[in-house]
Amino acid sequence: MTRGNGREKEDVMRHEILSDESLEIMREIWARPEASINDVWTALNAARRKKVRRTTVQVQMTRLVRYGWLSRRKSGREYLYAALYGKDETVGDLLSALARRVYGGSFVELVGLLLERGIFSPADRRRINVMWRKIGRGKETGPRLFPA
């Protein structure tokens, strides 16, 4: 989680304040290099039965800038927003924070819980095996994490 910039405490605080609504906005931002409030508002409402107000999106995006999630730059008469952290980096940080808070930093216990719960389908386990072997050896051969 630490990026070598001494901001670990700030990063933890930033990730703990990400609400479901903010995460929904971040998903729309991650889907494109930059987006205006109208871009995000239109995309959110296209996927919802209950529509969200433009001012609600504007307030949320302003907060995401203040909390360090988004950058903002003026382009003509509107602002364009961009994510300061990628989706994979954010998910990794959130999982690290969860493992630290619940399991004292142990990912083994977190993954163990997922395995015990039977969350992974056979297709998931095959995909995880391929990823595991790539990480371990830099190629798609080698020991399996899950039996075939």
Side-chain angles (χ1 to χ4, degrees):
M1 186 152 109
T2 301
R3 293 175 188 82
N5 58 11
R7 293 178 22 186
E8 182 174 348
K9 185 174 182 181
E10 181 182 322
D11 290 344
V12 170
M13 186 179 118
R14 176 175 45 83
H15 287 127
E16 288 177 355
I17 61 171
L18 188 63
S19 66
D20 290 343
E21 294 80 12
S22 294
L23 185 56
E24 193 175 7
I25 289 170
M26 290 303 297
R27 279 192 212 101
E28 293 301 331
I29 297 287
W30 286 323
R32 52 188 65 82
E34 290 184 312
S36 68
I37 290 170
N38 281 333
D39 294 334
V40 173
W41 175 62
T42 301
L44 290 174
N45 282 328
R48 300 172 135 229
R49 262 185 354 161
K50 185 178 178 189
K51 304 301 181 192
V52 63
R53 292 182 179 176
R54 185 188 181 285
T55 54
T56 301
V57 174
Q58 182 176 359
V59 167
Q60 284 292 110
M61 290 176 71
T62 300
R63 287 179 181 159
L64 288 168
V65 169
R66 188 172 63 233
Y67 295 151
W69 282 97
L70 298 176
S71 65
R72 176 175 80 175
R73 72 174 182 87
K74 188 85 166 158
S75 176
R77 293 177 30 166
E78 66 182 356
Y79 286 103
L80 293 178
Y81 296 80
L84 290 174
Y85 300 94
K87 182 180 178 182
D88 291 343
E89 180 181 16
T90 299
V91 170
D93 288 351
L94 289 168
L95 288 173
S96 293
L98 176 67
R100 190 175 48 259
R101 287 175 47 201
V102 177
Y103 296 109
S106 173
F107 275 98
V108 172
E109 290 187 49
L110 179 60
V111 172
L113 175 67
L114 297 174
L115 293 171
E116 288 171 11
R117 289 281 184 100
I119 290 174
F120 301 113
S121 70
D124 291 337
R125 290 193 300 272
R126 285 190 296 275
R127 188 166 171 229
I128 291 168
N129 274 328
V130 168
M131 289 187 296
W132 179 258
R133 289 182 300 211
K134 279 184 181 179
I135 291 168
R137 303 228 196 267
K139 54 188 174 186
E140 292 188 26
T141 61
R144 294 177 178 273
L145 183 60
F146 296 105

